[in-house]
Every structure is written in structure tokens, then in C-alpha cells.
Amino acid sequence: QVQLVESGGGLVQAGGSLRLACVASGSIFSMNAMGWHRQPPGAQRELVAAITSRGSTNYVDSVKGRFTISRDNGKNTVYLQMNSLKPEDTAVYYCSGDIDSRAGLQRYWGQGTQVTVSS
């Protein structure tokens, strides 16, 4: 059984920073593409940033230059460094991972972590 657990969310003032972490555990053979998504109140979930197993990254336009996704394969962990936060970044942030395990290759999701940016 593979699990993803996010941490690092919280309340921050506009202009501040947070660093989210997502740790994968279980019978993992390999972690492929990993991503961070967010769901603002009353809105649909959107992909914020993604990183391939080789470290190639892509971002939604609204966070380019402010957010950085990275990974530590030795620790089965993916990070999202969020700088210059804005009130519109307020959302529940979810980690996703395309992970190969005893159950085969599947996409897994974390439970989410709340990020609130006050103006």
C-alpha cells in the first residue's frame, strides 16, 4: 500500500513563503512524475506544478517565477517552495504521484494540506 502524506501548509501573510513537502511510503519500486495540485474554495482542482523522474518541471502560468517544485528520490519526497504568496493562492494543496509498486503503476493522491494567504 502506497501512501502520500503532505505537510507544511498553514496561514501566511501576502508576500510570505511556505514550503510544502510530500512523502511517499510503502512498497515503492519507483516514483515517476510527481505533481502538486490545488483546489480553491468553490473551484475545481488545478495542476500547479509537475516534475518528471528526470527533474523536468512545468508550472501553471499564475505561479511561474514564484513557486518551485523539486524532488529528493532518495527520500521519496517532493517539495513545493512557494514564495511571494498572494491571497489567490489560498487553497487546499494536494500531492500526486505516478508510482510503481507491488500493485503496479498507479496514480496516488495525498489527503491535502490547507494554505491560507491573508491580505
Side-chain angles (χ1 to χ4, degrees), residues 13-18 65-67 82-87 89 117:
Q13 288 189 331
S17 298
L18 285 173
R66 300 188 298 123
F67 290 12
M82 305 186 295
N83 299 327
S84 302
L85 282 161
K86 304 176 181 180
D89 294 319
V117 184

Side-chain angles (χ1 to χ4, degrees), residues 11 18 33 40 44 103 105:
L11 173 64
L18 285 173
Q44 290 188 334
L105 180 62

Side-chain angles (χ1 to χ4, degrees), residues 14-51:
S17 298
L18 285 173
R19 188 191 194 204
L20 306 183
C22 171
V23 180
S25 62
S27 55
I28 296 170
F29 297 157
S30 64
M31 288 172 44
N32 299 306
M34 304 291 293
W36 285 97
H37 309 249
R38 67 186 179 188
Q39 186 165 17
Q44 290 188 334
R45 190 177 299 188
E46 67 170 350
L47 176 65
V48 174
I51 185 167

Side-chain angles (χ1 to χ4, degrees), residues 34 54 57 71 74 87:
M34 304 291 293
R54 295 185 177 185
T57 61
R71 62 192 292 163

Side-chain angles (χ1 to χ4, degrees), residues 43-106:
Q44 290 188 334
R45 190 177 299 188
E46 67 170 350
L47 176 65
V48 174
I51 185 167
T52 68
S53 58
R54 295 185 177 185
S56 296
T57 61
N58 65 79
Y59 301 90
V60 67
D61 286 347
S62 59
V63 307
K64 286 181 179 178
R66 300 188 298 123
F67 290 12
T68 302
I69 188 171
S70 62
R71 62 192 292 163
D72 184 336
N73 292 329
K75 295 181 178 180
N76 287 344
T77 302
V78 62
Y79 303 96
L80 186 67
Q81 178 67 44
M82 305 186 295
N83 299 327
S84 302
L85 282 161
K86 304 176 181 180
E88 51 263 43
D89 294 319
T90 294
V92 178
Y93 283 70
Y94 298 90
C95 171
S96 72
D98 294 337
I99 297 174
D100 191 17
S101 70
R102 294 179 181 175
L105 180 62
Q106 295 184 30

